[in-house]
Amino acid sequence: MALVSTVRGAQLARLLGQWHALPGRRRSPDYAALAGAVRGLLTDGRLALGVRLPAERELAQALAISRTTVSAAYRELRASGHLTSRRGAGSWTTLPGGHRVGSHGLWAPLDDLDGIDLGSAAMPAPAELPAAAEEAVADLSRYLSGAGYHPAGLPDLRDAVAAGFTRRGLPTSAEQIMITSGVQHALDLVLRLLVPAGSPVLVETPTYPNALASLAARRARIATHGLGRAGWDAELLLGAVRQTRPRLAYLIPEFHNPTGHLMPVGLRERLPAAVHSAGTDLVADESFVDLALDGVAPPPPLASYDRHSRVLTIGGMSKPYWGGLRIGWVRAAAPVVQRLAAVRVGMDMSSPVLDQLVAVRLLERADTVVPARRAQLVRQRDALVAALRAELPEWRFAVPRGGMSLWAELDGPVSSALARAAEDLGVRLAPGPRFGADGTLERFLRLPFALPPEDLAEAVRRLAAVRYDLDRVPRPRWSEPAMIA
Ligand SMILES: Cc1ncc(COP(=O)(O)O)c(C=O)c1O
């Protein structure tokens, strides 16, 4: 049986914070606002699944509201599938449909047409995709006489990816490349191969939330290196590697998601030797390396300073091309690639041949697709920056020189409250705590600039309204009389 933990009334009250003062909720009754706030905590990952909620009376007392309101809120949560109750056993948190998956990493698209989704940093497909797909269909005939299984990837695509590394100054052969179904898959495979359950793993904080989800699935013990306004602190990071001797370090040196930082060359030179001395393997996530903006030239890849095959590089096509392709890769020593391919056979066997052929044809168009993406991102970033400076001048941020998102420091620890309230105005946000391992980062918000300038400007206008309301909405006057029982 699953372990069920209990959240006490006072704890839930603290988590709920100013639930009654969220903008837009004056239109809805108290019980609906309370149910909405609990749902918000659940989808944020701040309230875990399978947790027993306090008894109605206890929560009513902790929130100083009537038990009737709590009963009605619990009833609504049961109706929406977020709560399951059994007489005598209490009520515990669930997800609709009975799923017991963690909420980390669940990013359903908005079905509201007026909604603006700032939850994900991903762009639509490039215009060149259909032509690349047509050519790929024609190429397919060359493969039809084989079985179609290539656990390490289609030779043509491995060649093309290896050539890309070689062009960046890191000589690479096709045997050092394994093709995966996206970067997330690449990370998951590497963790399966290299991280036994319970091993210590070092990550940046903030970091990419779905990497945390993968690490949680491996039951890794997380150690963190906090990024400051200027990015990595070399001495602290190297010190953390020496002291914690993690089994693996997962870092995002190229236009880090969410902060946009680019790791300086001095740290790149020192890290591979440091991890080698600590017995640590280093995964460098290069998802955004192609998306340098303003003519910035990223320094040589981390792996080019690696003398001991300690650095595994993961990257892919989702950010510069299209996430829907599901094409990623690992660059590692050839024997490691073979072991990864063996792990993959027990998982999904191989990536689809046709999709890999599309990837080959798209990579041939890199010189048109990638510069167009960069130009588009510069326009979108500039629109976001201008809107923020005009509408939310108290928020502080460094203008990112690459990648797709801006990491804003807010004027208070309101990120989750803001995200919950923004949903009412049709803006989906990924609040700061989603990017941390420990529920902190409430003063931060990731704002991707993956949408057209006018959508970004409108989203910031709505955010400014929400932010203003958070401070200004008076405490509610309860409609029910206080119950004395
Ligand atoms: C840093 C980072 N790594 C990995 C991924 C996952 O990429 P993919 O869609 O290729 O699995 C993302 C996507 O947002 C990312 O930002």
Side-chain angles (χ1 to χ4, degrees):
M1 194 186 141
L3 283 176
V4 176
S5 61
T6 301
V7 57
R8 312 294 312 168
Q11 291 170 323
L12 186 53
R14 209 169 36 248
L15 277 175
L16 285 165
Q18 300 292 306
W19 65 275
H20 42 73
L22 296 182
R25 61 123 337 225
R26 273 166 292 170
R27 280 176 276 117
S28 56
D30 294 338
Y31 77 86
L34 179 56
V38 172
R39 262 196 301 271
L41 286 174
L42 256 173
T43 47
D44 246 18
R46 302 190 56 205
L47 183 63
L49 288 175
V51 163
R52 187 179 289 123
L53 292 194
E56 291 171 5
R57 189 188 303 278
E58 187 190 338
L59 184 59
Q61 237 166 31
L63 294 174
I65 59 175
S66 79
R67 182 171 165 186
T68 329
T69 303
V70 178
S71 294
Y74 278 18
R75 211 164 31 246
E76 176 162 315
L77 287 167
R78 273 193 293 275
S80 64
H82 293 87
L83 199 64
T84 299
S85 306
R86 206 174 320 123
R87 200 173 289 282
S91 302
W92 56 94
T93 53
T94 47
L95 279 183
H99 297 297
R100 280 198 47 86
V101 292
S103 60
H104 288 292
L106 273 185
W107 292 106
L110 285 177
D111 37 24
D112 170 6
L113 288 181
D114 194 29
I116 304 178
D117 190 353
L118 293 186
S120 90
M123 303 229 288
E128 291 79 357
L129 186 74
E134 272 171 35
E135 290 172 12
V137 170
D139 297 337
L140 190 60
S141 58
R142 285 193 280 128
Y143 290 87
L144 296 179
S145 57
Y149 295 111
H150 303 270
L154 219 57
D156 287 1
L157 184 53
R158 296 173 80 192
D159 277 339
V161 172
F165 279 106
T166 304
R167 270 197 303 279
R168 287 171 58 205
L170 181 60
T172 302
S173 68
E175 290 68 39
Q176 290 173 272
I177 300 296
M178 158 143 184
I179 303 299
T180 62
S181 297
V183 182
Q184 185 70 23
H185 183 221
L187 175 61
D188 205 64
L189 278 171
V190 168
L191 296 182
R192 279 169 197 252
L193 181 68
L194 298 178
V195 179
S199 313
V201 172
L202 181 70
V203 301
E204 293 134 343
T205 184
T207 187
Y208 174 56
N210 294 334
L212 290 174
S214 255
L215 286 163
R218 301 304 310 152
R219 299 183 194 196
R221 281 187 290 127
I222 303 291
T224 55
H225 169 68
L227 294 188
R229 285 213 185 105
W232 300 263
D233 179 313
E235 297 314 320
L236 284 182
L237 176 56
L238 298 172
V241 169
R242 271 193 302 273
Q243 280 155 27
T244 53
R245 303 176 81 83
R247 175 71 286 283
L248 184 134
Y250 167 76
L251 302 178
I252 314 173
E254 316 290 355
F255 308 116
H256 176 267
N257 182 6
T259 64
H261 288 304
L262 183 62
M263 185 180 281
V265 73
L267 181 53
R268 292 177 193 235
E269 285 166 355
R270 297 170 69 192
L271 253 179
V275 294
H276 176 62
S277 309
T280 300
D281 289 316
L282 172 57
V283 174
D285 184 332
E286 294 194 338
S287 288
F288 293 93
V289 70
D290 288 338
L291 298 180
L293 309 179
D294 308 328
V296 168
L302 248 177
S304 53
Y305 302 100
D306 179 21
R307 305 279 163 266
H308 304 94
S309 298
R310 283 290 185 177
V311 178
L312 293 92
T313 307
I314 59 177
M317 300 189 66
S318 299
K319 302 303 168 181
Y321 298 87
W322 193 42
L325 268 179
R326 308 309 307 136
I327 295 289
W329 48 77
V330 183
R331 178 196 182 275
V336 176
V337 166
Q338 281 171 10
R339 287 163 64 207
L340 283 170
V343 172
R344 190 237 182 111
V345 167
M347 214 178 154
D348 68 340
M349 310 282 277
S350 180
S351 289
V353 172
L354 183 57
D355 300 9
Q356 295 181 78
L357 291 170
V358 177
V360 171
R361 290 299 189 172
L362 261 183
L363 287 174
E364 288 170 2
R365 292 167 163 82
D367 289 346
T368 28
V369 176
V370 177
R373 279 267 133 139
R374 290 182 180 148
Q376 187 184 355
L377 282 167
V378 167
R379 283 193 298 277
Q380 293 171 177
R381 178 203 60 189
D382 292 349
L384 176 63
V385 166
L388 286 171
R389 286 190 176 143
E391 305 273 351
L392 286 155
E394 307 81 25
W395 290 9
R396 293 199 294 178
F397 53 84
V399 176
R401 316 287 311 275
M404 274 189 207
S405 54
L406 178 153
W407 184 240
E409 185 174 349
L410 312 183
D411 52 323
V414 295
S415 198
S416 297
L418 197 73
R420 280 201 295 272
E423 289 255 335
D424 280 354
L425 295 192
V427 179
R428 168 164 290 162
L429 297 173
R434 291 298 310 258
F435 298 85
D438 49 11
T440 56
L441 303 173
E442 272 295 0
R443 294 181 60 83
F444 296 90
L445 180 64
R446 183 186 76 164
L447 294 167
F449 38 95
L451 296 175
E454 53 283 8
D455 288 5
L456 293 169
E458 173 59 22
V460 172
R461 263 194 297 279
R462 294 186 199 177
L463 282 188
V466 166
R467 178 66 195 97
Y468 179 63
D469 278 356
L470 274 189
D471 285 340
R472 163 177 166 275
V473 171
R475 294 187 79 84
R477 275 171 282 116
W478 304 113
S479 45
E480 298 94 336
M483 285 266 295
I484 299 174

PDB file of all heavy atoms in Angstrom, residues 111-136:
ATOM      1  N   ASP A 111      -6.634  24.783 -23.241  1.00  0.00           N
ATOM      2  CA  ASP A 111      -7.676  24.580 -24.248  1.00  0.00           C
ATOM      3  C   ASP A 111      -8.482  25.861 -24.436  1.00  0.00           C
ATOM      4  O   ASP A 111      -9.331  25.960 -25.303  1.00  0.00           O
ATOM      5  CB  ASP A 111      -8.580  23.392 -23.896  1.00  0.00           C
ATOM      6  CG  ASP A 111      -8.827  23.290 -22.407  1.00  0.00           C
ATOM      7  OD1 ASP A 111      -8.701  24.329 -21.739  1.00  0.00           O
ATOM      8  OD2 ASP A 111      -9.138  22.189 -21.932  1.00  0.00           O
ATOM      9  N   ASP A 112      -8.182  26.869 -23.649  1.00  0.00           N
ATOM     10  CA  ASP A 112      -8.857  28.147 -23.748  1.00  0.00           C
ATOM     11  C   ASP A 112      -8.224  28.947 -24.897  1.00  0.00           C
ATOM     12  O   ASP A 112      -7.040  29.246 -24.884  1.00  0.00           O
ATOM     13  CB  ASP A 112      -8.648  28.857 -22.398  1.00  0.00           C
ATOM     14  CG  ASP A 112      -9.087  30.299 -22.443  1.00  0.00           C
ATOM     15  OD1 ASP A 112      -9.645  30.703 -23.468  1.00  0.00           O
ATOM     16  OD2 ASP A 112      -8.864  30.994 -21.435  1.00  0.00           O
ATOM     17  N   LEU A 113      -9.052  29.302 -25.902  1.00  0.00           N
ATOM     18  CA  LEU A 113      -8.491  29.942 -27.100  1.00  0.00           C
ATOM     19  C   LEU A 113      -7.902  31.308 -26.796  1.00  0.00           C
ATOM     20  O   LEU A 113      -6.990  31.773 -27.465  1.00  0.00           O
ATOM     21  CB  LEU A 113      -9.591  30.070 -28.163  1.00  0.00           C
ATOM     22  CG  LEU A 113      -9.985  28.747 -28.809  1.00  0.00           C
ATOM     23  CD1 LEU A 113     -11.046  28.986 -29.863  1.00  0.00           C
ATOM     24  CD2 LEU A 113      -8.757  28.072 -29.427  1.00  0.00           C
ATOM     25  N   ASP A 114      -8.426  31.966 -25.766  1.00  0.00           N
ATOM     26  CA  ASP A 114      -7.955  33.283 -25.418  1.00  0.00           C
ATOM     27  C   ASP A 114      -6.739  33.194 -24.496  1.00  0.00           C
ATOM     28  O   ASP A 114      -6.168  34.192 -24.096  1.00  0.00           O
ATOM     29  CB  ASP A 114      -9.111  34.023 -24.719  1.00  0.00           C
ATOM     30  CG  ASP A 114      -8.832  35.507 -24.636  1.00  0.00           C
ATOM     31  OD1 ASP A 114      -8.128  36.005 -25.517  1.00  0.00           O
ATOM     32  OD2 ASP A 114      -9.305  36.140 -23.672  1.00  0.00           O
ATOM     33  N   GLY A 115      -6.371  31.987 -24.139  1.00  0.00           N
ATOM     34  CA  GLY A 115      -5.294  31.790 -23.179  1.00  0.00           C
ATOM     35  C   GLY A 115      -3.930  32.041 -23.817  1.00  0.00           C
ATOM     36  O   GLY A 115      -3.744  31.863 -25.012  1.00  0.00           O
ATOM     37  N   ILE A 116      -3.004  32.479 -22.983  1.00  0.00           N
ATOM     38  CA  ILE A 116      -1.628  32.688 -23.452  1.00  0.00           C
ATOM     39  C   ILE A 116      -0.751  31.783 -22.610  1.00  0.00           C
ATOM     40  O   ILE A 116      -0.707  31.911 -21.390  1.00  0.00           O
ATOM     41  CB  ILE A 116      -1.205  34.165 -23.288  1.00  0.00           C
ATOM     42  CG1 ILE A 116      -2.198  35.083 -24.026  1.00  0.00           C
ATOM     43  CG2 ILE A 116       0.206  34.370 -23.811  1.00  0.00           C
ATOM     44  CD1 ILE A 116      -1.892  36.565 -23.875  1.00  0.00           C
ATOM     45  N   ASP A 117      -0.082  30.865 -23.263  1.00  0.00           N
ATOM     46  CA  ASP A 117       0.681  29.858 -22.534  1.00  0.00           C
ATOM     47  C   ASP A 117       2.138  30.280 -22.387  1.00  0.00           C
ATOM     48  O   ASP A 117       2.921  30.176 -23.324  1.00  0.00           O
ATOM     49  CB  ASP A 117       0.589  28.511 -23.265  1.00  0.00           C
ATOM     50  CG  ASP A 117       1.160  27.375 -22.415  1.00  0.00           C
ATOM     51  OD1 ASP A 117       1.737  27.679 -21.346  1.00  0.00           O
ATOM     52  OD2 ASP A 117       1.029  26.214 -22.812  1.00  0.00           O
ATOM     53  N   LEU A 118       2.476  30.778 -21.197  1.00  0.00           N
ATOM     54  CA  LEU A 118       3.881  31.103 -20.915  1.00  0.00           C
ATOM     55  C   LEU A 118       4.500  29.992 -20.070  1.00  0.00           C
ATOM     56  O   LEU A 118       5.522  30.172 -19.441  1.00  0.00           O
ATOM     57  CB  LEU A 118       3.982  32.433 -20.163  1.00  0.00           C
ATOM     58  CG  LEU A 118       3.569  33.694 -20.930  1.00  0.00           C
ATOM     59  CD1 LEU A 118       3.860  34.935 -20.103  1.00  0.00           C
ATOM     60  CD2 LEU A 118       4.298  33.794 -22.261  1.00  0.00           C
ATOM     61  N   GLY A 119       3.850  28.833 -20.072  1.00  0.00           N
ATOM     62  CA  GLY A 119       4.355  27.720 -19.277  1.00  0.00           C
ATOM     63  C   GLY A 119       5.491  26.994 -19.963  1.00  0.00           C
ATOM     64  O   GLY A 119       6.336  26.399 -19.322  1.00  0.00           O
ATOM     65  N   SER A 120       5.538  27.047 -21.289  1.00  0.00           N
ATOM     66  CA  SER A 120       6.581  26.261 -21.940  1.00  0.00           C
ATOM     67  C   SER A 120       7.403  27.121 -22.891  1.00  0.00           C
ATOM     68  O   SER A 120       6.900  28.061 -23.509  1.00  0.00           O
ATOM     69  CB  SER A 120       5.966  25.058 -22.657  1.00  0.00           C
ATOM     70  OG  SER A 120       5.639  25.387 -23.975  1.00  0.00           O
ATOM     71  N   ALA A 121       8.691  26.796 -22.952  1.00  0.00           N
ATOM     72  CA  ALA A 121       9.617  27.528 -23.815  1.00  0.00           C
ATOM     73  C   ALA A 121       9.823  26.696 -25.072  1.00  0.00           C
ATOM     74  O   ALA A 121      10.785  25.935 -25.176  1.00  0.00           O
ATOM     75  CB  ALA A 121      10.940  27.765 -23.079  1.00  0.00           C
ATOM     76  N   ALA A 122       8.904  26.791 -26.008  1.00  0.00           N
ATOM     77  CA  ALA A 122       9.000  25.986 -27.229  1.00  0.00           C
ATOM     78  C   ALA A 122       8.263  26.720 -28.340  1.00  0.00           C
ATOM     79  O   ALA A 122       7.242  27.362 -28.089  1.00  0.00           O
ATOM     80  CB  ALA A 122       8.384  24.614 -26.994  1.00  0.00           C
ATOM     81  N   MET A 123       8.783  26.616 -29.571  1.00  0.00           N
ATOM     82  CA  MET A 123       8.214  27.377 -30.685  1.00  0.00           C
ATOM     83  C   MET A 123       7.531  26.451 -31.697  1.00  0.00           C
ATOM     84  O   MET A 123       7.783  25.252 -31.736  1.00  0.00           O
ATOM     85  CB  MET A 123       9.325  28.133 -31.387  1.00  0.00           C
ATOM     86  CG  MET A 123      10.085  29.041 -30.449  1.00  0.00           C
ATOM     87  SD  MET A 123      10.268  30.699 -31.082  1.00  0.00           S
ATOM     88  CE  MET A 123      11.436  30.476 -32.352  1.00  0.00           C
ATOM     89  N   PRO A 124       6.682  27.025 -32.543  1.00  0.00           N
ATOM     90  CA  PRO A 124       6.064  26.219 -33.608  1.00  0.00           C
ATOM     91  C   PRO A 124       7.116  25.742 -34.611  1.00  0.00           C
ATOM     92  O   PRO A 124       8.242  26.250 -34.630  1.00  0.00           O
ATOM     93  CB  PRO A 124       5.099  27.195 -34.296  1.00  0.00           C
ATOM     94  CG  PRO A 124       5.082  28.434 -33.483  1.00  0.00           C
ATOM     95  CD  PRO A 124       6.264  28.429 -32.572  1.00  0.00           C
ATOM     96  N   ALA A 125       6.704  24.818 -35.472  1.00  0.00           N
ATOM     97  CA  ALA A 125       7.646  24.240 -36.449  1.00  0.00           C
ATOM     98  C   ALA A 125       8.089  25.297 -37.456  1.00  0.00           C
ATOM     99  O   ALA A 125       7.343  26.215 -37.789  1.00  0.00           O
ATOM    100  CB  ALA A 125       6.971  23.090 -37.180  1.00  0.00           C
ATOM    101  N   PRO A 126       9.310  25.172 -37.975  1.00  0.00           N
ATOM    102  CA  PRO A 126       9.763  26.114 -38.999  1.00  0.00           C
ATOM    103  C   PRO A 126       9.065  25.840 -40.338  1.00  0.00           C
ATOM    104  O   PRO A 126       8.614  24.715 -40.590  1.00  0.00           O
ATOM    105  CB  PRO A 126      11.264  25.823 -39.106  1.00  0.00           C
ATOM    106  CG  PRO A 126      11.433  24.434 -38.609  1.00  0.00           C
ATOM    107  CD  PRO A 126      10.320  24.186 -37.616  1.00  0.00           C
ATOM    108  N   ALA A 127       9.019  26.846 -41.181  1.00  0.00           N
ATOM    109  CA  ALA A 127       8.325  26.729 -42.477  1.00  0.00           C
ATOM    110  C   ALA A 127       8.962  25.648 -43.348  1.00  0.00           C
ATOM    111  O   ALA A 127       8.315  25.091 -44.238  1.00  0.00           O
ATOM    112  CB  ALA A 127       8.377  28.075 -43.195  1.00  0.00           C
ATOM    113  N   GLU A 128      10.233  25.335 -43.099  1.00  0.00           N
ATOM    114  CA  GLU A 128      10.952  24.368 -43.933  1.00  0.00           C
ATOM    115  C   GLU A 128      10.557  22.923 -43.627  1.00  0.00           C
ATOM    116  O   GLU A 128      10.944  22.005 -44.351  1.00  0.00           O
ATOM    117  CB  GLU A 128      12.470  24.500 -43.715  1.00  0.00           C
ATOM    118  CG  GLU A 128      13.092  25.776 -44.251  1.00  0.00           C
ATOM    119  CD  GLU A 128      12.892  26.990 -43.350  1.00  0.00           C
ATOM    120  OE1 GLU A 128      12.200  26.862 -42.311  1.00  0.00           O
ATOM    121  OE2 GLU A 128      13.415  28.058 -43.690  1.00  0.00           O
ATOM    122  N   LEU A 129       9.799  22.700 -42.582  1.00  0.00           N
ATOM    123  CA  LEU A 129       9.537  21.320 -42.159  1.00  0.00           C
ATOM    124  C   LEU A 129       8.782  20.482 -43.208  1.00  0.00           C
ATOM    125  O   LEU A 129       9.198  19.353 -43.496  1.00  0.00           O
ATOM    126  CB  LEU A 129       8.805  21.289 -40.810  1.00  0.00           C
ATOM    127  CG  LEU A 129       8.623  19.882 -40.253  1.00  0.00           C
ATOM    128  CD1 LEU A 129       9.930  19.319 -39.719  1.00  0.00           C
ATOM    129  CD2 LEU A 129       7.594  19.849 -39.138  1.00  0.00           C
ATOM    130  N   PRO A 130       7.707  21.007 -43.812  1.00  0.00           N
ATOM    131  CA  PRO A 130       6.983  20.147 -44.772  1.00  0.00           C
ATOM    132  C   PRO A 130       7.863  19.689 -45.939  1.00  0.00           C
ATOM    133  O   PRO A 130       7.795  18.510 -46.330  1.00  0.00           O
ATOM    134  CB  PRO A 130       5.838  21.048 -45.254  1.00  0.00           C
ATOM    135  CG  PRO A 130       5.635  22.038 -44.140  1.00  0.00           C
ATOM    136  CD  PRO A 130       6.996  22.271 -43.556  1.00  0.00           C
ATOM    137  N   ALA A 131       8.700  20.591 -46.461  1.00  0.00           N
ATOM    138  CA  ALA A 131       9.555  20.195 -47.583  1.00  0.00           C
ATOM    139  C   ALA A 131      10.550  19.119 -47.121  1.00  0.00           C
ATOM    140  O   ALA A 131      10.807  18.133 -47.840  1.00  0.00           O
ATOM    141  CB  ALA A 131      10.299  21.410 -48.136  1.00  0.00           C
ATOM    142  N   ALA A 132      11.101  19.297 -45.916  1.00  0.00           N
ATOM    143  CA  ALA A 132      12.042  18.297 -45.393  1.00  0.00           C
ATOM    144  C   ALA A 132      11.327  16.952 -45.240  1.00  0.00           C
ATOM    145  O   ALA A 132      11.896  15.889 -45.537  1.00  0.00           O
ATOM    146  CB  ALA A 132      12.600  18.769 -44.046  1.00  0.00           C
ATOM    147  N   ALA A 133      10.085  16.988 -44.808  1.00  0.00           N
ATOM    148  CA  ALA A 133       9.334  15.742 -44.604  1.00  0.00           C
ATOM    149  C   ALA A 133       9.073  15.050 -45.944  1.00  0.00           C
ATOM    150  O   ALA A 133       9.147  13.818 -46.031  1.00  0.00           O
ATOM    151  CB  ALA A 133       8.033  16.042 -43.870  1.00  0.00           C
ATOM    152  N   GLU A 134       8.765  15.843 -46.974  1.00  0.00           N
ATOM    153  CA  GLU A 134       8.531  15.228 -48.297  1.00  0.00           C
ATOM    154  C   GLU A 134       9.787  14.529 -48.803  1.00  0.00           C
ATOM    155  O   GLU A 134       9.736  13.407 -49.315  1.00  0.00           O
ATOM    156  CB  GLU A 134       8.096  16.289 -49.298  1.00  0.00           C
ATOM    157  CG  GLU A 134       6.592  16.486 -49.282  1.00  0.00           C
ATOM    158  CD  GLU A 134       6.172  17.678 -50.112  1.00  0.00           C
ATOM    159  OE1 GLU A 134       6.812  17.930 -51.161  1.00  0.00           O
ATOM    160  OE2 GLU A 134       5.212  18.353 -49.692  1.00  0.00           O
ATOM    161  N   GLU A 135      10.922  15.180 -48.651  1.00  0.00           N
ATOM    162  CA  GLU A 135      12.173  14.551 -49.086  1.00  0.00           C
ATOM    163  C   GLU A 135      12.435  13.273 -48.280  1.00  0.00           C
ATOM    164  O   GLU A 135      12.906  12.278 -48.813  1.00  0.00           O
ATOM    165  CB  GLU A 135      13.341  15.526 -48.917  1.00  0.00           C
ATOM    166  CG  GLU A 135      13.282  16.670 -49.911  1.00  0.00           C
ATOM    167  CD  GLU A 135      14.345  17.740 -49.621  1.00  0.00           C
ATOM    168  OE1 GLU A 135      15.249  17.484 -48.800  1.00  0.00           O
ATOM    169  OE2 GLU A 135      14.246  18.817 -50.221  1.00  0.00           O
ATOM    170  N   ALA A 136      12.107  13.341 -46.996  1.00  0.00           N
ATOM    171  CA  ALA A 136      12.341  12.180 -46.131  1.00  0.00           C
ATOM    172  C   ALA A 136      11.492  10.988 -46.580  1.00  0.00           C
ATOM    173  O   ALA A 136      11.961   9.843 -46.555  1.00  0.00           O
ATOM    174  CB  ALA A 136      12.032  12.543 -44.677  1.00  0.00           C
TER     175      ALA A 136
END
